[in-house]
Every structure is written in structure tokens, then in C-alpha cells.
């Protein structure tokens, strides 16, 4: 069975936890897009792990973890993660595979990301990790790939060529002194040596695994509404965070994908700028942020919080081909007098039932809510669906109906065991 797991909102849905659970059931875990802008939190016992680049499956012994061609790799960050994982006593052995075709983040990408953001009138709220500029170089065909780090002649030629142009831009447009060839060349050549044992043709590896009837989990980073095409552009990330990205970002054909699972929070959050129709008012937002510990795993920035938006998630179900949903952080809604679900939008007196693309509309519409009664806070965690509070069950039933999608997992806490499976 080859599964794709995607975020159905603006990222931070709690994918890390579900990936961790599903990883136990598969043989290969693949990251297919994004970079270290992502942050997956996994809690095992009393230990919390936050991964930015490493597939979370690395915590499971004997699973092969693949960083696919669609990912942009900051070698410094990946090296740190490898060191931390080894320090935690987890054996990586031959389990980490990095695509030779994955693009590499260079120092100029990070600085450009930050300089561009300071110059922009409409700030995106980027994580400043160089993700956008690295993908831009990939598309304009001057990117440096993992395979290039293994070839001193090619690395030197590409880097020289890039710096010739980029240093001019840094000096003239951004009044930045630019970058020295020698230090970058030396540093990245060294990364090539360090990563050589991990770099390979991962598309071949995965297709051979499929032929051998192995099971693969493709773990999406970010979420549907941060997707470069379908997200709330330009307040998006620079990769294809929707399920289609799994194929182009790994070299596995869509014909080989069996199922897409979506992950959504029981409410909504977003980090960074951009429209957010169901955003709470500031004081309730602060209350929920603290209660849900809604601070970015990558940048520590406070996440904006709001009610569940069924119009958005319905769109995500369609775009990704989601047939099952995991609803996360249900426990954060415990103890509220009432809970709301956005069921439509109103713009200039007109009712909208689909997610609009016009930025002007999206920024000015008003959500139409269905209000449901809340449920009390409980001190023993429910261990199965029966043990959920009746109104919590009613809330979930309403979500399932509105989305016309099966809810197969419900998370009521951060630990692995705080998960209710409906199948
Ligand atoms: P970038 O990907 O760093 O360029 O950031 C672009 C936008 O995506 C910003 O609003 C970020 O906050 C958001 N973003 C990027 N990665 C994540 C993530 O993993 N979770 C949530 N938001 C993210």
C-alpha cells in the first residue's frame, strides 16, 4: 500500500504524529517537497523530537527514510539533525537515502530570502530559510543539486557562474557585499564528502521497492493552502504541498499511489501573513494559542488561530483526493461553551460555498458559522470513540458530513497513545 499524507489546512496540522504512527506500518517513508521550513513534532514517551528535514520515520528501527528530489536540502541543517538523532541513540545505518536530484540551499538563498522579505510591501512571513530562492533557482535552471556536491569540477563551475550574477544583484539591488566563492566551495565540497554515503537514485530505489511489494508512506510538509498553485498565493510556500507533489517529488507514478490521507486540526491555525477567514478575535486567539501551544516548531512564532473552516477543508479533500481524514487536537476544544464551524462565506451580500481565489474577496469575506454546543473538559483521556463526550462526537459527525469524508483518526493529546482509531 502506498499512502500519501497531506495537510488539509495551512500546515502545522499535526502531521508529524500521524506520520509517526503510520510509519510503524510501512517500509519506506519519503519526504517529497519543502525543506527545513517544515517542523514535525513527534512525542515518544517523555521525549519530544522536532524534525525539519529528516523524515519522522527515522525513529522507527529498520525503516528506510528518503529525502526525495522535490525537497530542497540545507546540508548544514541536515547534518545537525543526523548528529542529534545519533546522539539520541538512534541508529541511522544505511536507512537514510537522499536523492541525487534534490536541490541544495546555499548561503545566498537564505540571505536573499530575508533581504527580499524586508523589501516587500506585502510581506509573506517566510521562515527565512532560503526555500523560495532555492526553488526559484531550480526553475530558472541554475540550481545546484546533491549530485553536484560529489563532483568538484561541476560544483566549481556552477557556483562561479551563479556568484557572478548573484553578487552583482546583491551589491546593486540590496547593498549587500555578496559572497566569496572559496569559502562556499570548500564548505559544500565537504558536505559532498559527508553526504556521499546517503546520496543515490531514490526514484529507482522506490520503484524497486514497489516492485518488491514494499509499503511506502509519502509525508507531505506544510499544507494544501500553502501549496504554490492552490494555496493563498502569494502567501504560500514555493513547493507543491498537495498530494500530486508526492509523484513529481519522488519519481513514483500516480498509478502507484493507493490512498491519500488528509490531516486537519479540529480548528485552524496559520503562521505568517495572508488572509484567514475564520481567525479568532485577538483575545480569544491568545487564549486558544496558549491552550493549544500554538507556536511554530521551526521559528517559534505565534500561530494565528481560528475556527474550523469546512469550505477550505472540502477544497483540500478535492484537490488531494483525500479519502480519510485525521482530526487533530480535539482536546484543545474541550471546555468551550460553544464551538463553531464555518459552513459558507458571505461577500457583498452573496453567499459563497466554494473557496474563492480572488485575493480581494478572500481578504474581505465574512464567515458564516454553524454553532454547536461545547463539551466539558475531561481529566481522563478517551481511549476510543465511545468514550468521547457526546457533543464532541456530534461535532465530529458534523465535520464528517460536511466534508463527505470518513474521519478515521482522532487525536486527543500529543502522545502516540492519545489517538483514537475508527477502523
Ligand atoms: P517559506 O516556505 O519559508 O518561504 O514561507 C512561506 C510561508 O509558508 C510563510 O507564511 C510560512 O510561515 C509558511 N510556512 C512554511 N513552512 C511552514 C510549515 O511547515 N508550517 C506552517 N507554515 C509554514
Amino acid at each position: 500500500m502506498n499512502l500519501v499524507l497531506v495537510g488539509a489546512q495551512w500546515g502545522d496540522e499535526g502531521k508529524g504524529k500521524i506520520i509517526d504512527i503510520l510509519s510503524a506500518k510501512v517500509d519506506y517513508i519519503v519526504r517529497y517537497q519543502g525543506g527545513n521550513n517544515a517542523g514535525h513534532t513527534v512525542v515518544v514517551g517523555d521525549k519530544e523530537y522536532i524534525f525539519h528535514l529528516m523524515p519522522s520515520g527515522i525513529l522507527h528501527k529498520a525503516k528506510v527514510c528518503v529525502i526525495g528530489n522535490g525537497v530542497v536540502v540545507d546540508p548544514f541543517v541536515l547534518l545537525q539533525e543526523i548528529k542529534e538523532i545519533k546522539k539520541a541513540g538512534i541508529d541511522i545505518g544505511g536507512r537514510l537515502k537522499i536523492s541525487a536530484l534534490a536541490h541544495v540551499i546555499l548561503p545566498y538563498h537564505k540571505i536573499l530570502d530575508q533581504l527580499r522579505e524586508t523589501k516587500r510591501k506585502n510581506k509573506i512571513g517566510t521562515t527565512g530559510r532560503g526555500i523560495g530562492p532555492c526553488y526559484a533557482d531550480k526553475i530558472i535552471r541554475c540550481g545546484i543539486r546533491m549530485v553536484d556536491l560529489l563532483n568538484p569540477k561541476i560544483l566549481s563551475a556552477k557556483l562561479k557562474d551563479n556568484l557572478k550574477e548573484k553578487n552583482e544583484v546583491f551589491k546593486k539591488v540590496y547593498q549587500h557585499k555578496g559572497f566569496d566563492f572559496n569559502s562556499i566551495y570548500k564548505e559544500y565540497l565537504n558536505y559532498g564528502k559527508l553526504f556521499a554515503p546517503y546520496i543515490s537514485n531514490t526514484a529507482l530505489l522506490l520503484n524497486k521497492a514497489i516492485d518488491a511489494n514494499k509499503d511506502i508512506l509519502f509525508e507531505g510538509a506544510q499544507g494544501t493552502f500553502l501549496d504554490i498553485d492552490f494555496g493563498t498565493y502569494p502567501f504560500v510556500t514555493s513547493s507543491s504541498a498537495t498530494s500530486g507533489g508526492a509523484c513529481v517529488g519522488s519519481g513514483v507514478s500516480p498509478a502507484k499511489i493507493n490512498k491519500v490521507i488528509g490531516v486537519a486540526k479540529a480548528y485552524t491555525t496559520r503562521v505568517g501573513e495572508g488572509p484567514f477567514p475564520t481567525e479568532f478575535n485577538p483575545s480569544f486567539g491568545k487564549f486558544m494559542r496558549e491552550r493549544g501551544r500554538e507556536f511554530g516548531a521551526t521559528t517559534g512564532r505565534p500561530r494565528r488561530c481560528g475556527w474550523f473552516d469546512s469550505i477550505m477543508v472540502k477544497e483540500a479533500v478535492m484537490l488531494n483526493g483525500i479519502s480519510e481524514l485525521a482530526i487533530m487536537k480535539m482536546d484543545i476544544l474541550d471546555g468551550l461553551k460553544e464551538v463553531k464551524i464555518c459552513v459558507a462565506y458571505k461577500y457583498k451580500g452573496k453567499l459563497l460555498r466554494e473557496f474563492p481565489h480572488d485575493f480581494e474577496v478572500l481578504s474581505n469575506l465574512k464567515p458564516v458559522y454553524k454553532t454547536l454546543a461545547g463539551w466539558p473538559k475531561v481529566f481522563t483521556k478517551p481511549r476510543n470513540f465511545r468514550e468521547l463526550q457526546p457533543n464532541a462526537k456530534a461535532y465530529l459527525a458534523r465535520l464528517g458530513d460536511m466534508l463527505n469524508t470518513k474521519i478515521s483518526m482522532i487525536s486527543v493529546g500529543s502522545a502516540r497513545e492519545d489517538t483514537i482509531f475508527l477502523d
Side-chain angles (χ1 to χ4, degrees):
M1 172 82 95
N2 301 317
L3 294 174
V4 181
L5 190 109
V6 287
Q9 294 159 321
W10 275 296
D12 305 319
E13 295 92 350
K15 295 181 293 298
K17 178 176 165 178
I18 301 299
I19 292 162
D20 178 55
I21 291 169
L22 295 177
S23 293
K25 303 176 187 191
V26 299
D27 306 294
Y28 289 70
I29 299 105
V30 185
R31 268 284 306 264
Y32 58 83
Q33 43 76 226
N36 60 310
N37 47 351
H40 286 167
T41 309
V42 183
V43 180
V44 185
D46 56 0
K47 265 197 153 165
E48 187 176 89
Y49 298 88
I50 299 179
F51 296 116
H52 299 287
L53 266 170
M54 184 68 81
S56 334
I58 203 77
L59 296 177
H60 293 266
K61 280 185 199 146
K63 308 288 171 177
V64 179
C65 291
V66 175
I67 296 180
N69 54 280
V71 175
V72 286
V73 178
D74 185 329
F76 176 78
V77 173
L78 186 55
L79 212 54
Q80 293 307 109
E81 286 192 4
I82 292 175
K83 279 185 192 156
E84 271 172 43
I85 290 165
K86 284 185 174 165
K87 214 165 79 189
I90 296 159
D91 179 34
I92 295 183
R95 297 195 294 127
L96 175 64
K97 309 282 179 191
I98 308 168
S99 168
L101 307 182
H103 279 249
V104 177
I105 296 181
L106 286 116
Y108 47 77
H109 293 136
K110 293 184 249 189
I111 300 295
L112 184 60
D113 209 8
Q114 292 153 20
L115 289 173
R116 239 194 216 148
E117 185 79 340
T118 54
K119 278 209 170 220
R120 271 177 177 272
K121 198 160 153 263
N122 268 336
K123 300 202 186 302
I124 289 173
T126 144
T127 59
R129 303 296 197 254
I131 308 297
C134 183
Y135 277 116
D137 277 3
K138 172 177 175 171
I139 301 300
I140 58 166
R141 293 159 295 177
C142 71
I144 291 178
R145 305 188 290 182
M146 290 305 290
V147 66
D148 301 328
L149 304 185
L150 305 177
N151 186 325
K153 226 166 81 192
I154 289 183
L155 177 63
S156 164
K158 280 192 165 185
L159 188 59
K160 270 189 189 141
D161 210 25
N162 280 352
L163 286 178
K164 209 163 88 191
E165 183 195 357
K166 288 184 190 298
N167 278 345
E168 286 291 298
V169 175
F170 273 107
K171 282 176 199 147
K172 294 193 176 138
V173 179
Y174 297 102
Q175 288 74 52
H176 181 282
K177 65 181 181 356
F179 294 85
D180 170 53
F181 168 82
N182 286 320
S183 62
I184 302 183
Y185 179 64
K186 251 177 50 200
E187 183 185 346
Y188 279 70
L189 208 54
N190 189 42
Y191 290 138
K193 287 194 187 114
L194 294 170
F195 285 117
Y198 304 110
I199 300 173
S200 64
N201 180 344
T202 53
L204 184 67
L205 175 89
L206 291 170
N207 281 286
K208 277 189 172 169
I210 292 171
D211 290 344
N213 280 326
K214 300 285 182 201
D215 296 320
I216 303 181
L217 171 66
F218 296 88
E219 58 159 284
Q222 289 89 40
T224 302
F225 292 89
L226 288 173
D227 181 276
I228 186 72
D229 287 282
F230 298 106
T232 44
Y233 194 89
F235 305 97
V236 293
T237 191
S238 303
S239 63
S240 298
T242 40
S243 58
C247 296
V248 280
S250 69
V252 170
S253 154
K256 306 273 167 74
I257 304 295
N258 306 105
K259 194 195 260 188
V260 181
I261 299 179
V263 185
K265 264 181 201 159
Y267 49 101
T268 312
T269 62
R270 138 161 244 183
V271 206
E273 308 301 321
F276 184 169
T278 63
E279 187 165 14
F280 295 138
N281 69 46
S283 67
F284 191 55
K286 184 170 182 285
F287 169 76
M288 290 299 284
R289 181 178 311 123
E290 278 159 16
R291 180 183 251 233
R293 295 209 296 148
E294 295 293 357
F295 296 89
T298 300
T299 56
R301 288 180 293 175
R303 293 179 186 143
R304 299 155 66 192
C305 302
W307 293 116
F308 190 92
D309 187 334
S310 72
I311 303 295
M312 272 182 76
V313 180
K314 217 174 355 185
E315 174 96 354
V317 165
M318 176 192 79
L319 291 169
N320 294 293
I322 292 170
S323 59
E324 277 183 34
L325 265 173
I327 299 290
M328 312 303 288
K329 292 189 128 175
M330 258 308 271
D331 54 311
I332 304 303
L333 299 181
D334 288 355
L336 299 180
K337 230 167 67 202
E338 54 184 31
V339 284
K340 295 184 186 189
I341 303 170
C342 171
V343 294
Y345 305 127
K346 218 168 195 178
Y347 180 71
K348 293 192 173 164
K350 260 177 78 182
L351 212 57
L352 311 178
R353 295 206 182 267
E354 262 121 46
F355 196 74
H357 291 141
D358 185 325
F359 180 68
E360 163 96 32
V361 179
L362 194 54
S363 312
N364 294 296
L365 50 76
K366 295 276 171 276
V368 178
Y369 290 114
K370 169 82 193 160
T371 302
L372 280 80
W375 52 91
K377 196 168 177 58
V378 281
F379 292 95
T380 43
K381 296 261 183 205
R383 286 285 172 252
N384 54 51
F385 190 73
R386 259 183 304 111
E387 289 177 17
L388 278 169
Q389 293 288 312
N391 286 350
K393 284 187 210 166
Y395 180 75
L396 288 165
R398 187 58 81 116
L399 292 191
D401 283 351
M402 278 170 181
L403 304 170
N404 198 18
T405 308
K406 180 168 82 177
I407 294 175
S408 59
M409 287 172 265
I410 302 156
S411 174
V412 292
S414 55
R416 274 179 182 163
E417 52 278 15
D418 298 330
T419 315
I420 296 171
F421 298 92
L422 293 173
D423 269 335

